[in-house]
Amino acid sequence: MSYAPDAIAAIATAPGRGGIGVVRISGRDLSRVMQGVIGRELTPRVAVVARFLGADGEALDRGLALWFPAPASYTGENVLELHGHGGPAVLGLVLARCLELGARIAQPGEFTQRAFLNDKFDLAQAESVADLIDAGSAAAARAAGRSLSGEFSRYTHALVAALVELRALTEATLDFPDEDIDFLRTANAAQRLAALQGQVSSLLARSRQGVLLRDGLAVVIVGAPNVGKSSLLNRLAGDDIAIVTDVPGTTRDAIRSEIDVRGVPLHVVDTAGVRESTDAVETIGIARTWEAVARADLALVVTDARDTDDAHGALLAGLDPALPRIVVRNKIDLMGAGPRRQSLEGERREVWMSARTGVGLDLLQDAVLEVAGASEDMQGAFLARERHVQAIIVAQRHLDSATAQLAIPSIELVAEELRAAQDALSSITGAFGSDDLLGEIFGRFCIGK
Ligand code: GDP
């Protein structure tokens, strides 16, 4: 009897009850599972109504069975999908039956890992599968979709290809030193390098937008009691499409909320109710709040617009000077004043608004997104991760050094910097080693020269 040691199985749908639940099995040889559960061969890629059989031959469930023979499947292996009824008990029975037939429980992400190992997609795409599933907003989901479809990878590959070309030129110069400098000049090495730097900067900007969509911004709301901090938080959380999940601690603890501002997730901590205290529990709450302030990316300093500047001067002075801040002049409805936004010196922004009526909220949202570095629309964003951004920054540094070395010129060091830049960029997609470079060099230059 054939036994597939590498077959993995899992319930692919979310836990809990639903209309449909899917058990997915992937492996090199699924014949035993197929025979045992379905009792017959299936036509590839045709949805078939079938009984899912238990060991005694009795049906555990009845549903659709889908058979994707390798390599035309998600993982690149043979894949069987059993779409049954979406109850945890019945799905558990079907899964247990698959395990009985030789499959083992899949590790988290193992289907996608296999897809990567079988070259179904590269590392960046594999990562975006998880990001698409985790996306907390429509904008983040669209950006993840772009990365998954390979747009991010294609852009990165194109950069790597241009780098390889430049490396090939440089290294050929090293091999044929007689022609070195002239050769590089005719080949426009400096212009090529400058163009590459421009493209890497653009990749960095688009990836940073993606990181913002994915990871969001930590925001703290600070201000004296009663200036309207809680009202502002509610106003920011806004209408029913915003996602608000209060995590209630004690009433004296900081309130944390997840808010979506035009697709960018804000992790907001409202410090309302924080005051000097001798109460032990309250002190813990206060300490936590200040920890949150210390970790924040942005502070919203709320004041009553009718107060003088001095009222929040001490608060502003107490914040880490490096922490970006927006002063929110609240309650303008009580002054009969209109909303406005001001940029003062020292990166200081002020927004005049009313949390009660909502006027000026859009100005505050603009200011928040500006501080976050979000572009107008997130159309070009790639749902990148910090790992990608760091890799791009490393590549950028090496290209800068290469430019400096080219001016000297020190061709060996240019070659070395270009190699390092390529390694950094290639780590994004997890592809392209030195063999490729050799192929590239030998493919472009005739050895006999
Ligand atoms: P916090 O202590 O800073 O969180 O302040 P709250 O949000 O609890 O607000 C204190 C009081 O001010 C409440 O009665 C709010 O209804 C009121 N308030 C908050 N924002 C405004 C505003 O923009 N205009 C007016 N007129 N009242 C406001």
Side-chain angles (χ1 to χ4, degrees):
M1 189 178 296
S2 74
Y3 174 65
D6 65 337
I8 53 171
I11 298 172
T13 37
R17 295 171 353 151
I20 294 169
V22 176
V23 172
R24 176 156 63 170
I25 309 106
S26 175
R28 267 200 294 276
D29 181 1
L30 297 185
S31 50
R32 191 170 164 221
V33 175
M34 178 100 94
Q35 265 311 316
V37 179
I38 308 294
R40 62 189 148 104
E41 290 278 310
L42 290 170
T43 314
R45 286 176 291 285
V46 172
V48 178
V49 179
R51 295 185 315 145
F52 306 155
L53 306 171
D56 54 6
E58 216 177 292
L60 303 170
D61 193 8
R62 189 168 180 273
L64 285 184
L66 282 159
W67 172 233
F68 302 96
S73 71
Y74 179 72
T75 58
E77 303 175 326
N78 288 316
V79 170
L80 176 64
E81 283 186 7
L82 305 170
H83 298 221
H85 292 93
V90 65
L91 284 169
L93 284 175
V94 175
L95 177 63
R97 176 72 178 130
C98 295
L99 302 184
E100 201 176 87
L101 291 163
R104 67 165 169 81
I105 290 269
Q107 306 282 334
E110 202 173 359
F111 287 94
T112 303
Q113 186 189 10
R114 288 186 175 199
F116 166 65
L117 292 174
N118 288 323
D119 287 332
K120 282 282 155 180
F121 38 58
D122 64 39
L123 213 49
Q125 287 174 300
E127 289 168 315
S128 62
V129 170
D131 290 343
L132 179 59
I133 292 170
D134 289 341
S137 72
R142 274 197 297 271
R146 259 196 301 281
S147 296
L148 180 57
S149 74
E151 217 180 297
F152 180 44
S153 305
R154 275 192 296 278
Y155 194 100
T156 310
H157 282 311
L159 275 180
V160 169
L163 247 173
V164 166
E165 235 177 76
L166 194 53
R167 282 190 65 194
L169 271 176
T170 321
E171 301 203 358
T173 311
L174 284 177
D175 291 343
F176 307 100
D178 297 348
E179 308 171 23
D180 60 1
I181 310 305
D182 278 349
F183 184 44
L184 281 180
R185 199 170 295 138
T186 6
N188 279 341
Q191 282 94 324
R192 285 184 192 222
L193 192 49
L196 262 171
Q197 282 175 301
Q199 285 157 348
V200 168
S201 298
S202 154
L203 180 66
L204 181 61
R206 295 175 74 175
S207 305
R208 280 201 163 125
Q209 300 290 303
V211 170
L212 186 63
L213 282 176
R214 180 173 182 272
D215 299 341
L217 203 67
V219 178
V220 286
I221 304 184
V222 294
N226 279 319
V227 290
K229 296 184 293 299
S230 308
S231 310
L232 178 68
L233 178 59
N234 288 332
R235 183 54 78 177
L236 268 172
D239 48 28
D240 49 4
I241 53 162
I243 309 157
V244 186
T245 38
D246 285 347
V247 181
T250 65
T251 49
R252 291 163 295 192
D253 203 348
I255 303 288
R256 290 157 197 278
S257 312
E258 298 294 320
I259 295 174
D260 171 352
V261 171
R262 298 183 204 151
V264 175
L266 302 188
H267 316 290
V268 187
V269 171
D270 174 13
T271 62
V274 173
R275 54 200 140 95
E276 293 302 318
S277 170
T278 48
D279 176 288
V281 176
E282 195 162 278
T283 308
I284 293 171
I286 293 169
R288 270 199 217 132
T289 303
W290 291 118
E291 274 168 28
V293 173
R295 282 195 306 272
D297 300 310
L298 166 68
L300 298 181
V301 180
V302 187
T303 69
D304 189 319
R306 296 165 298 174
D307 289 346
T308 59
D309 260 350
D310 302 324
H312 62 282
L315 238 173
L316 283 176
L319 294 175
D320 180 344
L323 176 61
R325 71 227 28 212
I326 299 170
V327 174
V328 179
R329 303 258 188 188
N330 192 30
K331 308 195 185 184
I332 55 169
D333 53 305
L334 296 178
M335 305 167 64
R340 66 194 154 96
R341 191 180 144 195
Q342 276 180 315
S343 289
L344 305 173
E345 85 276 8
E347 283 282 298
R348 209 176 111 182
R349 295 170 173 82
E350 250 186 32
V351 174
W352 296 65
M353 64 169 291
S354 167
R356 174 167 290 176
T357 66
V359 295
L361 178 73
D362 52 337
L363 299 181
L364 178 62
Q365 290 174 330
D366 291 345
V368 168
L369 294 181
E370 193 179 286
V371 171
S375 63
E376 275 299 285
D377 52 16
M378 291 287 203
Q379 281 309 308
F382 295 128
L383 205 66
R385 300 176 168 206
E386 200 49 46
R387 173 181 92 77
H388 305 140
V389 167
Q390 289 311 321
I392 299 166
I393 289 172
V394 169
Q396 205 172 36
R397 258 190 237 129
H398 287 298
L399 288 180
D400 289 347
S401 305
T403 308
Q405 300 298 342
L406 191 63
I408 292 176
S410 166
I411 307 302
E412 277 94 351
L413 293 179
V414 173
E416 182 54 29
E417 295 294 352
L418 292 179
R419 187 198 55 73
Q422 186 198 335
D423 282 354
L425 281 183
S426 298
S427 72
I428 292 177
T429 54
F432 220 88
S434 55
D435 289 349
D436 301 295
L437 177 69
L438 288 180
E440 187 74 22
I441 290 177
F442 292 126
R444 279 169 190 270
F445 293 87
C446 84
I447 292 293
K449 183 185 182 275

